Amino acid sequence: MSTAMALSEEQMQKLGEDVVDVLRTIYDPEIPVDIYELGLVYDVNVSEEGDVHVLMTLTSPNCPVAESLPVEVEEKVKTIDIVTTAEVEITFDPPWTKDMMSEEARLELGMF
């Protein structure tokens, strides 16, 4: 994509949805649920230039994939054609709790 061409609102919306679709293919290795449904993704920002910023957390600061998971997220988001850059920011504020999981994730884990 040419850097001179800005994305329309519709294209930015579609890119945001595509990013979420990609995030739903990435699983926490300890819990058989994707990181989006687990509630690990706090925010996805898409710019007119096709830059993507993902704000996410981990189930704990001592998570065994603390080093590799953000890299995996970044690499998979970069596979979307119109993404120019992808950045993943890890935060522990607010800390992740099981309450952040989607209803679908809780059902899958038998937590009802």
Short mmCIF file of all heavy atoms in Angstrom, two decimals, residues 23 40-45 53-56:
data_model
loop_
_atom_site.label_atom_id
_atom_site.label_comp_id
_atom_site.label_asym_id
_atom_site.label_seq_id
_atom_site.Cartn_x
_atom_site.Cartn_y
_atom_site.Cartn_z
N LEU A 23 -6.56 -12.19 15.83
CA LEU A 23 -6.35 -12.40 17.27
C LEU A 23 -7.10 -13.64 17.76
O LEU A 23 -6.66 -14.31 18.68
CB LEU A 23 -6.78 -11.17 18.06
CG LEU A 23 -5.98 -9.89 17.78
CD1 LEU A 23 -6.58 -8.71 18.53
CD2 LEU A 23 -4.51 -10.06 18.10
N LEU A 40 -7.80 -10.97 26.95
CA LEU A 40 -6.43 -10.47 27.07
C LEU A 40 -6.20 -9.23 26.20
O LEU A 40 -5.25 -8.48 26.44
CB LEU A 40 -5.42 -11.55 26.68
CG LEU A 40 -5.40 -12.80 27.56
CD1 LEU A 40 -4.35 -13.79 27.06
CD2 LEU A 40 -5.16 -12.46 29.02
N VAL A 41 -7.06 -9.01 25.21
CA VAL A 41 -6.91 -7.85 24.32
C VAL A 41 -7.78 -6.72 24.86
O VAL A 41 -9.00 -6.86 24.95
CB VAL A 41 -7.31 -8.21 22.88
CG1 VAL A 41 -7.22 -6.97 21.98
CG2 VAL A 41 -6.44 -9.34 22.35
N TYR A 42 -7.13 -5.63 25.25
CA TYR A 42 -7.85 -4.49 25.80
C TYR A 42 -8.28 -3.50 24.72
O TYR A 42 -9.32 -2.87 24.83
CB TYR A 42 -7.00 -3.76 26.83
CG TYR A 42 -6.78 -4.52 28.13
CD1 TYR A 42 -5.79 -4.13 29.01
CD2 TYR A 42 -7.55 -5.63 28.47
CE1 TYR A 42 -5.58 -4.81 30.21
CE2 TYR A 42 -7.34 -6.31 29.65
CZ TYR A 42 -6.36 -5.90 30.52
OH TYR A 42 -6.16 -6.57 31.71
N ASP A 43 -7.46 -3.34 23.68
CA ASP A 43 -7.78 -2.34 22.67
C ASP A 43 -7.03 -2.64 21.38
O ASP A 43 -5.92 -3.15 21.42
CB ASP A 43 -7.38 -0.94 23.19
CG ASP A 43 -8.05 0.18 22.44
OD1 ASP A 43 -9.04 -0.07 21.73
OD2 ASP A 43 -7.58 1.33 22.55
N VAL A 44 -7.67 -2.31 20.26
CA VAL A 44 -7.04 -2.39 18.94
C VAL A 44 -7.25 -1.04 18.28
O VAL A 44 -8.39 -0.61 18.10
CB VAL A 44 -7.67 -3.51 18.07
CG1 VAL A 44 -7.10 -3.46 16.66
CG2 VAL A 44 -7.47 -4.88 18.69
N ASN A 45 -6.16 -0.36 17.96
CA ASN A 45 -6.24 0.94 17.27
C ASN A 45 -5.67 0.80 15.88
O ASN A 45 -4.60 0.21 15.71
CB ASN A 45 -5.45 2.01 18.03
CG ASN A 45 -6.16 2.46 19.28
OD1 ASN A 45 -7.34 2.76 19.25
ND2 ASN A 45 -5.44 2.49 20.38
N HIS A 53 -2.07 -0.84 16.48
CA HIS A 53 -1.54 -0.89 17.84
C HIS A 53 -2.49 -1.76 18.66
O HIS A 53 -3.69 -1.49 18.72
CB HIS A 53 -1.46 0.51 18.43
CG HIS A 53 -0.93 0.53 19.83
ND1 HIS A 53 -1.75 0.55 20.93
CD2 HIS A 53 0.34 0.50 20.31
CE1 HIS A 53 -1.01 0.54 22.03
NE2 HIS A 53 0.26 0.51 21.68
N VAL A 54 -1.95 -2.83 19.26
CA VAL A 54 -2.74 -3.73 20.09
C VAL A 54 -2.30 -3.56 21.53
O VAL A 54 -1.11 -3.72 21.85
CB VAL A 54 -2.55 -5.21 19.65
CG1 VAL A 54 -3.34 -6.14 20.56
CG2 VAL A 54 -2.97 -5.39 18.19
N LEU A 55 -3.24 -3.21 22.40
CA LEU A 55 -2.98 -3.12 23.84
C LEU A 55 -3.54 -4.39 24.46
O LEU A 55 -4.73 -4.67 24.31
CB LEU A 55 -3.64 -1.88 24.44
CG LEU A 55 -3.43 -1.67 25.93
CD1 LEU A 55 -1.96 -1.44 26.26
CD2 LEU A 55 -4.28 -0.50 26.43
N MET A 56 -2.68 -5.14 25.10
CA MET A 56 -3.14 -6.41 25.67
C MET A 56 -2.42 -6.69 26.97
O MET A 56 -1.50 -5.99 27.36
CB MET A 56 -2.92 -7.55 24.67
CG MET A 56 -1.47 -7.83 24.32
SD MET A 56 -1.27 -9.25 23.21
CE MET A 56 -1.64 -10.61 24.31
#
